[in-house]
Amino acid sequence: MKRREFLRNSLMGTAGLSLLGFPFAAQARPKNKKLVILHTNDTHSRIDPFPSDGRANGGMGGMARRASLIKQIRAKEKNVLLLDSGDIFQGTPYFNFFGGELEYKLMSQMGYDAATLGNHDFDNGLAGLQKQLPHASFPFLSANYDFSETILKDKFQPYKVFVKDELKIGVFGLGIDLQGLVGADMYGKTLYLDPVVKAKEMVKILRDEQECNLIICLSHLGYKYDTDKIDDRKLAAQVGGIDLILGGHTHTFLEKPDAIISPGGEETLINQVGWAGINLGRIDFEFSTEGKKKGYAAAVLPVHERTAISS
Amino acid sequence: MRFHFFKIVLLSLGLGLSVSCQRTWHGEPALQKTMLGVTATIAPDAQAEKTIAPYRAQVTKQMAEVIGVVPVALEKLAVESPVGNFVADLQRIQAEKLTGKPIDLGLMTAGGVRTPLRQGNLTVGDIFELMPFENELMVITVPAVVVKQLLNYASQPHIYPLAPKTLSTSNVAYQILNNQPQNILIGGQPFDSTRTYTIALSDYLAKGGDNLEFITNQVSSQKVGLLLRDAIIKHIKELTAEGKPVEAKIDGRVQVIVPNTPVEPKQ
């Protein structure tokens, strides 16, 4: 009798649930999910490690080692996003000889999910960039360069939404003002648009329309300037809703990610891992369904392990 | 029984609603190393190595060629930079050879010269590191006011004491007093504000790069048909062919005069 009653109740319960249309209710309380974000910036064509000849960073870096490290992490982690914040080009003869072909091929093999454009990625002009794009299996995201009057029209998206384990991660890209930094004939009719305005637009789309669980900005604006020039810290302070800014351009080695209180009171993390592929950045996010994101004081910040960087 | 049914429906309803409300996943950064060193302890990935190998073979072969000898390292220093002097001078010399005309000045910025030249054998690879950019050597003709603006800029206190910002000039001598250039000599002749001057430089600087916007005030400009890096390699090969080493000194072409300090004769 008891058993039959149990069965009947269960069936009724299930029927009731189906009628009411709550598919998630059938599951037990969901376990937490984990996302591993790996990132680089300003890798500057450093295919091989710096020579060990007493120079700064001697023996560090190397893309084949980076590929190994990424494979090791992928072997242990289910949800990995691999991102780059620009300036993939320029710095070694590999770029002078092959124009970035090998850099893109290796990054494609490593399974990069997205990158943004740095100023040096324009060093061989728009045609030089266009020529190498077929070697990249990953998209370049740029929300504040307008290429519509150039040969690169429709080649880049402002953002991309990645789905990992049912988590939606919105990633968008921001580039630095090219005027004065890159030869005008190199970037041609590429327009630089206000990064703050575009970032607000991106957050609105990614939060409200795409309903992303996490928003990442790939930025080549630079970490910090003492002038009025826009940087990652000013961006975080002016635009709410970005969870993480992965920066570049200033070749900054951050001991741990910066946490900035953004409009709305939530924190935005900023990270940057130097240059030349000396380091691979890693930030893990734990996702739960319990409550809102915690404020600054309660946040557990990732820690930095001092690495053996010779200088 | 009826009671049970309702209880379960209510329970389910409650559960359903609560899950519905909590359906959004919230991310929190987790305690984790955030900078992983790409060090020699990590074995290179075999697939990546295989992809790199043919490219590396080509690069190595060309980069390893020894083109000269450096007896004393050419450092990047403030005010006068030996490596900056070397490049500014060779730009002018090579531009003269290629155009067949005398050139008044050579100009290079510290940011344009990426590394010092280390003591020892000098390879093509070293020159690629010194000058990684695909800049072209060119000659511009400017009104005298541009030369004055250039030296004024070079004499600003935020420029000359800092090696990363130093301007290197060739065939020019001047003193910096109270952040102003004094006693300017160009090719040994006093600065003449009524004439034009020719400057050998990179196309990057000619377009006003490194904050030299004023330099775009040009009467004419001419590309000499050589990448700046190739001009450097050519110059070093010529020195070697003549049996000369790669040398550059701080030769007093720029002197900073400290005001109200009488110069004491050396004992």
Side-chain angles (χ1 to χ4, degrees), chain A residues 176-207:
Chain A
I176 194 167
D177 190 353
L178 299 171
Q179 196 186 353
L181 202 56
V182 179
D185 49 347
M186 292 297 164
Y187 62 86
K189 289 187 174 173
T190 307
L191 295 178
Y192 165 81
L193 308 174
D194 185 341
V196 173
V197 171
K198 298 311 284 188
K200 284 177 180 170
E201 278 178 34
M202 288 299 110
V203 170
K204 193 165 168 48
I205 292 169
L206 295 170
R207 284 263 177 239

mmCIF file of all heavy atoms in Angstrom, chain A residues 176-207:
data_model
loop_
_atom_site.group_PDB
_atom_site.id
_atom_site.type_symbol
_atom_site.label_atom_id
_atom_site.label_comp_id
_atom_site.label_asym_id
_atom_site.label_seq_id
_atom_site.Cartn_x
_atom_site.Cartn_y
_atom_site.Cartn_z
ATOM 1 N N ILE A 176 42.304 50.403 -29.007
ATOM 2 C CA ILE A 176 42.848 51.721 -28.651
ATOM 3 C C ILE A 176 42.728 52.680 -29.838
ATOM 4 O O ILE A 176 42.651 52.241 -30.994
ATOM 5 C CB ILE A 176 44.313 51.562 -28.197
ATOM 6 C CG1 ILE A 176 44.844 52.811 -27.499
ATOM 7 C CG2 ILE A 176 45.218 51.167 -29.378
ATOM 8 C CD1 ILE A 176 46.160 52.595 -26.756
ATOM 9 N N ASP A 177 42.734 53.991 -29.542
ATOM 10 C CA ASP A 177 42.723 55.020 -30.598
ATOM 11 C C ASP A 177 43.987 54.857 -31.447
ATOM 12 O O ASP A 177 45.103 54.913 -30.920
ATOM 13 C CB ASP A 177 42.684 56.406 -29.952
ATOM 14 C CG ASP A 177 42.420 57.508 -30.968
ATOM 15 O OD1 ASP A 177 42.409 57.216 -32.177
ATOM 16 O OD2 ASP A 177 42.234 58.668 -30.541
ATOM 17 N N LEU A 178 43.794 54.644 -32.734
ATOM 18 C CA LEU A 178 44.927 54.337 -33.613
ATOM 19 C C LEU A 178 45.668 55.584 -34.070
ATOM 20 O O LEU A 178 46.833 55.512 -34.466
ATOM 21 C CB LEU A 178 44.435 53.559 -34.841
ATOM 22 C CG LEU A 178 43.769 52.217 -34.524
ATOM 23 C CD1 LEU A 178 43.129 51.644 -35.776
ATOM 24 C CD2 LEU A 178 44.778 51.235 -33.951
ATOM 25 N N GLN A 179 45.013 56.733 -34.010
ATOM 26 C CA GLN A 179 45.621 57.963 -34.508
ATOM 27 C C GLN A 179 46.872 58.316 -33.706
ATOM 28 O O GLN A 179 46.846 58.365 -32.480
ATOM 29 C CB GLN A 179 44.609 59.111 -34.427
ATOM 30 C CG GLN A 179 45.030 60.295 -35.263
ATOM 31 C CD GLN A 179 44.117 61.494 -35.092
ATOM 32 O OE1 GLN A 179 43.078 61.408 -34.444
ATOM 33 N NE2 GLN A 179 44.514 62.596 -35.651
ATOM 34 N N GLY A 180 47.978 58.522 -34.425
ATOM 35 C CA GLY A 180 49.230 58.863 -33.770
ATOM 36 C C GLY A 180 50.025 57.646 -33.323
ATOM 37 O O GLY A 180 51.195 57.729 -33.004
ATOM 38 N N LEU A 181 49.356 56.506 -33.277
ATOM 39 C CA LEU A 181 49.994 55.277 -32.794
ATOM 40 C C LEU A 181 50.349 54.374 -33.968
ATOM 41 O O LEU A 181 51.351 53.666 -33.951
ATOM 42 C CB LEU A 181 49.016 54.564 -31.854
ATOM 43 C CG LEU A 181 49.542 53.582 -30.833
ATOM 44 C CD1 LEU A 181 50.586 54.216 -29.942
ATOM 45 C CD2 LEU A 181 48.388 53.056 -29.979
ATOM 46 N N VAL A 182 49.480 54.394 -34.974
ATOM 47 C CA VAL A 182 49.658 53.572 -36.169
ATOM 48 C C VAL A 182 49.639 54.526 -37.365
ATOM 49 O O VAL A 182 48.874 55.494 -37.360
ATOM 50 C CB VAL A 182 48.502 52.552 -36.293
ATOM 51 C CG1 VAL A 182 48.656 51.702 -37.545
ATOM 52 C CG2 VAL A 182 48.416 51.672 -35.059
ATOM 53 N N GLY A 183 50.476 54.266 -38.349
ATOM 54 C CA GLY A 183 50.489 55.108 -39.539
ATOM 55 C C GLY A 183 49.107 55.179 -40.161
ATOM 56 O O GLY A 183 48.411 54.167 -40.271
ATOM 57 N N ALA A 184 48.694 56.394 -40.567
ATOM 58 C CA ALA A 184 47.335 56.589 -41.081
ATOM 59 C C ALA A 184 47.069 55.727 -42.318
ATOM 60 O O ALA A 184 45.951 55.242 -42.510
ATOM 61 C CB ALA A 184 47.112 58.062 -41.405
ATOM 62 N N ASP A 185 48.100 55.510 -43.138
ATOM 63 C CA ASP A 185 47.882 54.675 -44.330
ATOM 64 C C ASP A 185 47.755 53.199 -43.968
ATOM 65 O O ASP A 185 47.342 52.388 -44.781
ATOM 66 C CB ASP A 185 49.000 54.904 -45.355
ATOM 67 C CG ASP A 185 50.391 54.817 -44.746
ATOM 68 O OD1 ASP A 185 50.489 54.822 -43.500
ATOM 69 O OD2 ASP A 185 51.370 54.756 -45.500
ATOM 70 N N MET A 186 48.134 52.839 -42.745
ATOM 71 C CA MET A 186 48.011 51.445 -42.297
ATOM 72 C C MET A 186 46.562 51.115 -41.894
ATOM 73 O O MET A 186 46.068 50.049 -42.191
ATOM 74 C CB MET A 186 48.953 51.180 -41.121
ATOM 75 C CG MET A 186 50.413 51.230 -41.490
ATOM 76 S SD MET A 186 50.854 49.948 -42.667
ATOM 77 C CE MET A 186 52.421 50.533 -43.259
ATOM 78 N N TYR A 187 45.917 52.034 -41.187
ATOM 79 C CA TYR A 187 44.545 51.734 -40.757
ATOM 80 C C TYR A 187 43.490 52.341 -41.680
ATOM 81 O O TYR A 187 42.304 52.029 -41.563
ATOM 82 C CB TYR A 187 44.296 52.100 -39.286
ATOM 83 C CG TYR A 187 44.432 53.559 -38.911
ATOM 84 C CD1 TYR A 187 43.351 54.427 -39.052
ATOM 85 C CD2 TYR A 187 45.608 54.064 -38.383
ATOM 86 C CE1 TYR A 187 43.461 55.763 -38.685
ATOM 87 C CE2 TYR A 187 45.730 55.400 -38.011
ATOM 88 C CZ TYR A 187 44.657 56.241 -38.169
ATOM 89 O OH TYR A 187 44.744 57.557 -37.798
ATOM 90 N N GLY A 188 43.924 53.208 -42.616
ATOM 91 C CA GLY A 188 43.018 53.715 -43.644
ATOM 92 C C GLY A 188 41.775 54.375 -43.077
ATOM 93 O O GLY A 188 41.860 55.248 -42.218
ATOM 94 N N LYS A 189 40.621 53.923 -43.540
ATOM 95 C CA LYS A 189 39.363 54.553 -43.125
ATOM 96 C C LYS A 189 38.709 53.849 -41.939
ATOM 97 O O LYS A 189 37.509 53.964 -41.713
ATOM 98 C CB LYS A 189 38.396 54.599 -44.312
ATOM 99 C CG LYS A 189 38.848 55.605 -45.364
ATOM 100 C CD LYS A 189 37.815 55.778 -46.454
ATOM 101 C CE LYS A 189 38.232 56.909 -47.398
ATOM 102 N NZ LYS A 189 37.337 56.995 -48.559
ATOM 103 N N THR A 190 39.515 53.097 -41.187
ATOM 104 C CA THR A 190 39.002 52.496 -39.961
ATOM 105 C C THR A 190 38.652 53.605 -38.978
ATOM 106 O O THR A 190 39.455 54.499 -38.739
ATOM 107 C CB THR A 190 40.081 51.598 -39.306
ATOM 108 O OG1 THR A 190 40.555 50.681 -40.285
ATOM 109 C CG2 THR A 190 39.525 50.841 -38.111
ATOM 110 N N LEU A 191 37.439 53.575 -38.441
ATOM 111 C CA LEU A 191 37.024 54.600 -37.483
ATOM 112 C C LEU A 191 37.134 54.070 -36.064
ATOM 113 O O LEU A 191 36.758 52.930 -35.783
ATOM 114 C CB LEU A 191 35.576 55.032 -37.747
ATOM 115 C CG LEU A 191 35.299 55.737 -39.076
ATOM 116 C CD1 LEU A 191 33.811 56.053 -39.181
ATOM 117 C CD2 LEU A 191 36.130 57.012 -39.200
ATOM 118 N N TYR A 192 37.648 54.921 -35.187
ATOM 119 C CA TYR A 192 37.731 54.597 -33.768
ATOM 120 C C TYR A 192 36.523 55.215 -33.075
ATOM 121 O O TYR A 192 36.298 56.415 -33.171
ATOM 122 C CB TYR A 192 39.029 55.161 -33.197
ATOM 123 C CG TYR A 192 39.108 55.224 -31.688
ATOM 124 C CD1 TYR A 192 39.428 54.086 -30.950
ATOM 125 C CD2 TYR A 192 38.879 56.415 -31.004
ATOM 126 C CE1 TYR A 192 39.521 54.147 -29.569
ATOM 127 C CE2 TYR A 192 38.971 56.484 -29.623
ATOM 128 C CZ TYR A 192 39.289 55.347 -28.912
ATOM 129 O OH TYR A 192 39.380 55.405 -27.538
ATOM 130 N N LEU A 193 35.738 54.399 -32.414
ATOM 131 C CA LEU A 193 34.536 54.887 -31.734
ATOM 132 C C LEU A 193 34.753 54.856 -30.219
ATOM 133 O O LEU A 193 35.565 54.070 -29.717
ATOM 134 C CB LEU A 193 33.326 54.026 -32.117
ATOM 135 C CG LEU A 193 33.103 53.832 -33.629
ATOM 136 C CD1 LEU A 193 31.961 52.848 -33.871
ATOM 137 C CD2 LEU A 193 32.828 55.161 -34.319
ATOM 138 N N ASP A 194 34.017 55.702 -29.510
ATOM 139 C CA ASP A 194 34.173 55.843 -28.061
ATOM 140 C C ASP A 194 33.992 54.494 -27.339
ATOM 141 O O ASP A 194 32.905 53.907 -27.374
ATOM 142 C CB ASP A 194 33.128 56.851 -27.555
ATOM 143 C CG ASP A 194 33.285 57.170 -26.084
ATOM 144 O OD1 ASP A 194 33.939 56.384 -25.365
ATOM 145 O OD2 ASP A 194 32.747 58.201 -25.650
ATOM 146 N N PRO A 195 35.049 54.008 -26.675
ATOM 147 C CA PRO A 195 34.958 52.685 -26.030
ATOM 148 C C PRO A 195 33.916 52.634 -24.907
ATOM 149 O O PRO A 195 33.299 51.588 -24.690
ATOM 150 C CB PRO A 195 36.354 52.453 -25.447
ATOM 151 C CG PRO A 195 37.220 53.547 -25.926
ATOM 152 C CD PRO A 195 36.368 54.628 -26.506
ATOM 153 N N VAL A 196 33.724 53.771 -24.211
ATOM 154 C CA VAL A 196 32.758 53.764 -23.099
ATOM 155 C C VAL A 196 31.338 53.600 -23.640
ATOM 156 O O VAL A 196 30.555 52.777 -23.152
ATOM 157 C CB VAL A 196 32.894 55.049 -22.249
ATOM 158 C CG1 VAL A 196 31.783 55.139 -21.210
ATOM 159 C CG2 VAL A 196 34.258 55.094 -21.577
ATOM 160 N N VAL A 197 31.029 54.367 -24.688
ATOM 161 C CA VAL A 197 29.692 54.285 -25.302
ATOM 162 C C VAL A 197 29.451 52.878 -25.838
ATOM 163 O O VAL A 197 28.399 52.269 -25.599
ATOM 164 C CB VAL A 197 29.568 55.330 -26.440
ATOM 165 C CG1 VAL A 197 28.287 55.125 -27.234
ATOM 166 C CG2 VAL A 197 29.641 56.750 -25.873
ATOM 167 N N LYS A 198 30.454 52.336 -26.556
ATOM 168 C CA LYS A 198 30.278 51.013 -27.161
ATOM 169 C C LYS A 198 30.192 49.919 -26.086
ATOM 170 O O LYS A 198 29.422 48.974 -26.220
ATOM 171 C CB LYS A 198 31.425 50.700 -28.136
ATOM 172 C CG LYS A 198 31.542 51.645 -29.316
ATOM 173 C CD LYS A 198 30.222 51.891 -30.039
ATOM 174 C CE LYS A 198 29.788 50.753 -30.927
ATOM 175 N NZ LYS A 198 28.595 51.128 -31.738
ATOM 176 N N ALA A 199 30.974 50.077 -25.017
ATOM 177 C CA ALA A 199 30.942 49.071 -23.942
ATOM 178 C C ALA A 199 29.561 49.032 -23.287
ATOM 179 O O ALA A 199 29.035 47.955 -22.990
ATOM 180 C CB ALA A 199 32.024 49.379 -22.905
ATOM 181 N N LYS A 200 28.955 50.218 -23.087
ATOM 182 C CA LYS A 200 27.609 50.265 -22.502
ATOM 183 C C LYS A 200 26.603 49.557 -23.419
ATOM 184 O O LYS A 200 25.732 48.818 -22.947
ATOM 185 C CB LYS A 200 27.189 51.718 -22.244
ATOM 186 C CG LYS A 200 27.873 52.321 -21.019
ATOM 187 C CD LYS A 200 27.498 53.783 -20.822
ATOM 188 C CE LYS A 200 28.202 54.355 -19.588
ATOM 189 N NZ LYS A 200 28.071 55.811 -19.493
ATOM 190 N N GLU A 201 26.754 49.794 -24.723
ATOM 191 C CA GLU A 201 25.880 49.116 -25.685
ATOM 192 C C GLU A 201 26.035 47.599 -25.612
ATOM 193 O O GLU A 201 25.066 46.846 -25.633
ATOM 194 C CB GLU A 201 26.241 49.554 -27.120
ATOM 195 C CG GLU A 201 25.644 50.870 -27.560
ATOM 196 C CD GLU A 201 26.099 51.231 -28.977
ATOM 197 O OE1 GLU A 201 26.280 50.319 -29.822
ATOM 198 O OE2 GLU A 201 26.299 52.427 -29.204
ATOM 199 N N MET A 202 27.307 47.174 -25.521
ATOM 200 C CA MET A 202 27.589 45.740 -25.487
ATOM 201 C C MET A 202 26.979 45.091 -24.239
ATOM 202 O O MET A 202 26.377 44.034 -24.314
ATOM 203 C CB MET A 202 29.108 45.496 -25.483
ATOM 204 C CG MET A 202 29.810 45.789 -26.785
ATOM 205 S SD MET A 202 29.214 44.753 -28.139
ATOM 206 C CE MET A 202 28.368 45.968 -29.095
ATOM 207 N N VAL A 203 27.152 45.765 -23.095
ATOM 208 C CA VAL A 203 26.625 45.204 -21.844
ATOM 209 C C VAL A 203 25.107 45.071 -21.938
ATOM 210 O O VAL A 203 24.527 44.059 -21.527
ATOM 211 C CB VAL A 203 27.026 46.089 -20.637
ATOM 212 C CG1 VAL A 203 26.279 45.653 -19.383
ATOM 213 C CG2 VAL A 203 28.534 46.012 -20.410
ATOM 214 N N LYS A 204 24.472 46.086 -22.520
ATOM 215 C CA LYS A 204 23.013 46.049 -22.648
ATOM 216 C C LYS A 204 22.578 44.853 -23.503
ATOM 217 O O LYS A 204 21.688 44.089 -23.118
ATOM 218 C CB LYS A 204 22.534 47.363 -23.268
ATOM 219 C CG LYS A 204 21.027 47.580 -23.154
ATOM 220 C CD LYS A 204 20.663 49.019 -23.438
ATOM 221 C CE LYS A 204 19.156 49.196 -23.613
ATOM 222 N NZ LYS A 204 18.352 48.558 -22.560
ATOM 223 N N ILE A 205 23.255 44.690 -24.623
ATOM 224 C CA ILE A 205 22.912 43.565 -25.507
ATOM 225 C C ILE A 205 23.184 42.238 -24.812
ATOM 226 O O ILE A 205 22.336 41.339 -24.791
ATOM 227 C CB ILE A 205 23.720 43.651 -26.831
ATOM 228 C CG1 ILE A 205 23.278 44.849 -27.664
ATOM 229 C CG2 ILE A 205 23.586 42.348 -27.629
ATOM 230 C CD1 ILE A 205 24.190 45.171 -28.842
ATOM 231 N N LEU A 206 24.351 42.118 -24.229
ATOM 232 C CA LEU A 206 24.756 40.823 -23.663
ATOM 233 C C LEU A 206 23.975 40.474 -22.402
ATOM 234 O O LEU A 206 23.648 39.310 -22.166
ATOM 235 C CB LEU A 206 26.262 40.803 -23.396
ATOM 236 C CG LEU A 206 27.136 40.899 -24.658
ATOM 237 C CD1 LEU A 206 28.601 41.110 -24.305
ATOM 238 C CD2 LEU A 206 26.994 39.639 -25.518
ATOM 239 N N ARG A 207 23.659 41.478 -21.583
ATOM 240 C CA ARG A 207 22.890 41.205 -20.358
ATOM 241 C C ARG A 207 21.400 41.029 -20.669
ATOM 242 O O ARG A 207 20.803 40.048 -20.254
ATOM 243 C CB ARG A 207 23.034 42.359 -19.369
ATOM 244 C CG ARG A 207 24.344 42.417 -18.643
ATOM 245 C CD ARG A 207 24.284 41.777 -17.249
ATOM 246 N NE ARG A 207 25.631 41.816 -16.658
ATOM 247 C CZ ARG A 207 26.317 40.752 -16.277
ATOM 248 N NH1 ARG A 207 25.796 39.544 -16.396
ATOM 249 N NH2 ARG A 207 27.513 40.864 -15.771
#
